[in-house]
Amino acid sequence: MGDQLWLAIIMLAVIVLSVFIAPAALSLQGMSSMSVYGVEIGLVAFGEMMVILSGNGGIDLSVGAMFALSQVILGVLVMHGLDVWEALFVVMVAGGILGLLNGVLVTLMKIPAIIATLGTMYVYGGIALVLTHGIDISPFPTSFDLIGQGLIAGWPVQLILIYIPVAVVLALLLSRTAFGWKLYLVGTNATAAMLNGISVTQTRLITYAITGLLCSIAAIIDASRLVTARPDAGSTMNLAAITIAVLGGTKLQGGEGRISGTILATLAITWLSYSFGLANINSVYESGTVGIVLLLAIAAQQSHRLIGAVKRLLHRRQQYV
């Protein structure tokens, strides 16, 4: 059984569990409400998926911290008198720069991604706390509420005008452009990519910058939805984003992954999270369940290796019998 089939089974099991926990999530209103939360983690998961796709053990543990710091930057700018709509542009640029700094540490300074982004997770999170003294920033202008609270035909504005367009753009970027071809080749075999004249460093730098940008967009939506900027926002996003990327079929070794798979995995994990909330189940159990899903998804990806190892052991045993 292929690893993609195992991942599909795990995803289906997550959705079935979610429906069992809270049947109300199946209603049209429930799905509309659920999509509000799914947009934010979904955007962050797109970025995580691209970083993992770039190979070389690529993983970004700072996505939650970039999310929080972007939100704080927005709050600080508005608090000091900058027009909120002008501040949005500054925040997105800042998000891209935060992601780019991660890329510099990984590609130019040759620090393993998991170590580099673990470090920036603490740095970015610390800056967010220092800028706010640990206190939420609010309120924002009423007009800003539209992004996170508005509806179009009963569906969230952020889903229709932000998430879907971003998903389409990223899908086209990865499947129809030279950058997408370069990213897949870099993730599959960086040496072959260099021999084909591709700048591995540049490709990965752009990927990390896009991840930071996506985190800042998600942070803007969250700030608009809750009408506040929180220095501790995104504290649970790292685990969820990685789980979504892996569950969606993105290979941890890099070079393989699709936006469509990430969208489906976002639906599954969001459904699970929303169902836990509806059933008033402690968030600790939710985190534990997401962790189990991540382990199962990784095991599914490695199943062919495990099966191959078992076959080799049996073959060797037969030789000595």
Side-chain angles (χ1 to χ4, degrees), residues 74-113:
L74 174 63
V76 169
L77 290 175
V78 173
M79 186 174 64
H80 284 81
L82 185 65
D83 179 77
V84 67
W85 301 105
E86 295 175 359
L88 298 186
F89 175 75
V90 177
V91 169
M92 287 189 286
V93 172
I97 292 173
L98 294 176
L100 185 62
L101 289 175
N102 283 339
V104 168
L105 293 174
V106 173
T107 61
L108 298 181
M109 299 186 68
K110 307 300 182 183
I111 301 174

Side-chain angles (χ1 to χ4, degrees), residues 24 56 78 87 94 117 136 146 166 185 187 195 213 244 246 249 267 304 314:
N56 193 36
V78 173
T117 58
D136 295 352
L146 174 66
V166 167
L185 185 55
L195 292 175
L213 172 61
I244 288 171
V246 176
L267 174 63
H304 63 286
L314 292 175

Side-chain angles (χ1 to χ4, degrees), residues 21 49 51 54 72 103 111 141 146 171 176 184 187 191 292 299 311 316:
I21 293 172
M49 170 231 165
V51 168
S54 68
V72 166
I111 301 174
L146 174 66
R176 301 295 179 87
Y184 279 108
T191 302
I292 291 172
K311 288 181 176 179
R316 289 177 182 175

Side-chain angles (χ1 to χ4, degrees), residues 10 55 62 68 71 73 79 100 120 147 185 198 213 227 234 253 281 285 302 307 315:
I10 295 169
S62 71
Q71 201 170 101
I73 291 172
M79 186 174 64
L100 185 62
T120 55
I147 297 176
L185 185 55
I198 296 172
L213 172 61
V227 201
Q253 296 82 5
I281 298 176
Y285 296 104
Q302 302 300 319
I307 293 172
H315 179 68

Side-chain angles (χ1 to χ4, degrees), residues 47 51 60 63 66-67 70 91-100 102 206-218:
V51 168
D60 195 334
V63 289
M66 288 194 289
F67 180 92
S70 296
V91 169
M92 287 189 286
V93 172
I97 292 173
L98 294 176
L100 185 62
N102 283 339
I206 293 173
T207 301
Y208 277 94
I210 290 174
T211 299
L213 172 61
L214 291 170
C215 288
S216 69
I217 295 173

Side-chain angles (χ1 to χ4, degrees), residues 36-45 67 158 218 221-222 225 237:
V36 170
Y37 306 102
V39 166
E40 294 158 20
I41 186 58
L43 290 171
V44 175
F67 180 92
Q158 60 265 49
I221 295 170
D222 185 70
R225 179 171 62 85
M237 279 192 164

Side-chain angles (χ1 to χ4, degrees), residues 1-318:
M1 186 181 292
D3 56 352
Q4 294 298 324
L5 182 55
W6 278 118
L7 289 172
I9 291 173
I10 295 169
M11 199 180 301
L12 181 60
V14 169
I15 293 175
V16 170
L17 174 63
S18 303
V19 173
F20 177 77
I21 293 172
L26 275 177
S27 68
L28 189 61
Q29 182 179 357
M31 294 181 70
S32 176
S33 299
M34 178 184 68
S35 65
V36 170
Y37 306 102
V39 166
E40 294 158 20
I41 186 58
L43 290 171
V44 175
F46 283 151
E48 191 71 66
M49 170 231 165
M50 292 181 67
V51 168
I52 297 174
L53 188 64
S54 68
N56 193 36
I59 198 166
D60 195 334
L61 296 179
S62 71
V63 289
M66 288 194 289
F67 180 92
L69 183 52
S70 296
Q71 201 170 101
V72 166
I73 291 172
L74 174 63
V76 169
L77 290 175
V78 173
M79 186 174 64
H80 284 81
L82 185 65
D83 179 77
V84 67
W85 301 105
E86 295 175 359
L88 298 186
F89 175 75
V90 177
V91 169
M92 287 189 286
V93 172
I97 292 173
L98 294 176
L100 185 62
L101 289 175
N102 283 339
V104 168
L105 293 174
V106 173
T107 61
L108 298 181
M109 299 186 68
K110 307 300 182 183
I111 301 174
I114 194 169
I115 302 299
T117 58
L118 179 64
T120 55
M121 177 185 76
Y122 287 113
V123 172
Y124 296 160
I127 293 173
L129 288 171
V130 169
L131 289 175
T132 61
H133 303 289
I135 301 172
D136 295 352
I137 300 175
S138 63
F140 288 98
T142 305
S143 60
F144 181 55
D145 299 355
L146 174 66
I147 297 176
Q149 300 180 24
L151 296 174
I152 296 178
W155 292 91
V157 165
Q158 60 265 49
L159 174 67
I160 305 300
L161 298 185
I162 300 178
Y163 182 78
I164 293 177
V166 167
V168 171
V169 168
L170 290 178
L172 292 175
L173 179 70
L174 293 179
S175 64
R176 301 295 179 87
T177 68
F179 172 78
W181 172 74
K182 292 176 183 178
L183 181 58
Y184 279 108
L185 185 55
V186 166
T188 302
N189 190 324
T191 302
M194 285 188 289
L195 292 175
N196 277 277
I198 296 172
S199 173
V200 174
T201 297
Q202 182 185 68
T203 302
R204 287 179 175 152
L205 283 174
I206 293 173
T207 301
Y208 277 94
I210 290 174
T211 299
L213 172 61
L214 291 170
C215 288
S216 69
I217 295 173
I220 289 169
I221 295 170
D222 185 70
S224 173
R225 179 171 62 85
L226 300 176
V227 201
T228 185
R230 300 167 297 141
D232 62 343
S235 57
T236 61
M237 279 192 164
N238 294 334
L239 174 62
I242 295 170
T243 301
I244 288 171
V246 176
L247 183 61
T250 304
K251 288 290 183 66
L252 287 172
Q253 296 82 5
E256 186 176 332
R258 293 288 183 272
I259 291 296
S260 56
T262 306
I263 292 173
L264 291 174
T266 299
L267 174 63
I269 296 301
T270 302
W271 213 325
L272 181 68
S273 178
Y274 184 68
S275 297
F276 269 76
L278 281 180
N280 291 317
I281 298 176
N282 194 299
S283 59
V284 172
Y285 296 104
E286 177 192 337
S287 298
T289 304
V290 172
I292 291 172
V293 172
L294 175 58
L295 291 174
L296 290 174
I298 293 174
Q301 286 198 3
Q302 302 300 319
S303 61
H304 63 286
R305 292 189 176 188
L306 294 174
I307 293 172
V310 171
K311 288 181 176 179
R312 286 192 294 273
L313 286 173
L314 292 175
H315 179 68
R316 289 177 182 175
R317 183 179 179 182
Q318 289 175 352

